[in-house]
Amino acid sequence: MAHPKTAPRSGSAIQIKKDTFGMGNSENKLQENWGWFLALGIGLMIGGACALFAPFLVSLAIEYVVGIVFAVGGVVMLFQVFTTKDGWNARLIYSILGGFNLFAGLLLMFRPLEGLVALTLVLIVAIFVNGLVRIAVGVMARPDEGSGWVIFVGCLSVLASGYLLAMYPEVSVMLLGIVAGVSLIGEGAGYVRFAYGLKNDVSVAV
């Protein structure tokens, strides 16, 4: 004869594990490995500092990597000219884009000074456009809190692009390396903050 299931006693609580979906375990693993994030942040900051001390070499390295990416993309597009089943219009577009990308990639790899001048001009234009976008976003966000800061940062970007354009093309040999160094230091500082947040059980964004 089957015994009926015993009903829970009055006042008893059913315990639910906190990490039912494994989220608790994931957080614990992150906290246990906070030292690795700290080491990553310090390493990025050191790399950024080294880039600032040798901006020309870093600029050449960045240029060479970009050249490889352009060249490979150009070869892939030219290969699609013979493999695509689209019409002649698509093949013509692949031919033009592929030839341009391949030429740009080879120029960046084998004519480094000319490539640096071109990439620097693109970067200056990007800084200028980024500043205009920030100003527009800040103006549309007014009078929300922080909109003035966004406008201020946008104005700084526009002024910086104007200064860099006035220094062009002499600034070409260093600008890419300096930007890379500053970016690495910023990323490293974010990971250091994240690591200390994990150590102290405080939610911190990278």
Side-chain angles (χ1 to χ4, degrees), residues 17-203:
K17 294 183 179 180
K18 185 177 180 180
D19 58 345
T20 304
F21 298 100
M23 297 180 64
N25 292 334
S26 299
E27 293 178 358
N28 291 334
K29 289 180 180 180
L30 282 176
Q31 291 178 345
E32 291 174 359
N33 296 323
W34 69 270
W36 290 104
F37 289 101
L38 178 62
L40 175 61
I42 294 175
L44 289 175
M45 294 177 69
I46 293 175
C50 293
L52 292 179
F53 280 108
F56 178 65
L57 295 179
V58 175
S59 298
L60 287 179
I62 295 173
E63 178 192 14
Y64 195 77
V65 172
V66 174
I68 292 176
V69 172
F70 268 86
V72 172
V75 171
V76 171
M77 287 186 179
L78 291 177
F79 182 74
Q80 287 180 332
V81 174
F82 303 99
T83 59
T84 184
K85 296 181 180 179
D86 298 330
W88 283 105
N89 292 333
R91 294 185 178 184
L92 180 61
I93 294 175
Y94 287 142
S95 300
I96 296 174
L97 293 179
F100 175 78
N101 286 344
L102 180 60
F103 174 76
L106 294 177
L107 176 64
L108 292 175
M109 287 189 292
F110 296 106
R111 300 296 295 271
L113 294 180
E114 291 85 346
L116 279 179
V117 171
L119 285 179
T120 301
L121 183 60
V122 172
L123 180 59
I124 293 174
V125 173
I127 294 174
F128 176 75
V129 173
N130 181 267
L132 292 182
V133 171
R134 286 180 180 273
I135 292 174
V137 171
V139 170
M140 290 187 295
R142 295 182 66 187
D144 294 345
E145 183 179 356
S147 59
W149 175 253
V150 175
I151 296 174
F152 175 73
V153 173
C155 291
L156 285 182
S157 297
V158 172
L159 292 175
S161 65
Y163 174 77
L164 293 173
L165 188 60
M167 298 289 292
Y168 183 83
E170 288 80 7
V171 73
S172 302
V173 296
M174 296 186 301
L175 183 58
L176 291 177
I178 292 174
V179 171
V182 173
S183 299
L184 287 175
I185 291 176
E187 288 292 326
Y191 276 108
V192 169
R193 289 183 63 248
F194 182 66
Y196 277 111
L198 288 177
K199 181 183 178 182
N200 299 321
D201 198 16
V202 178
S203 178

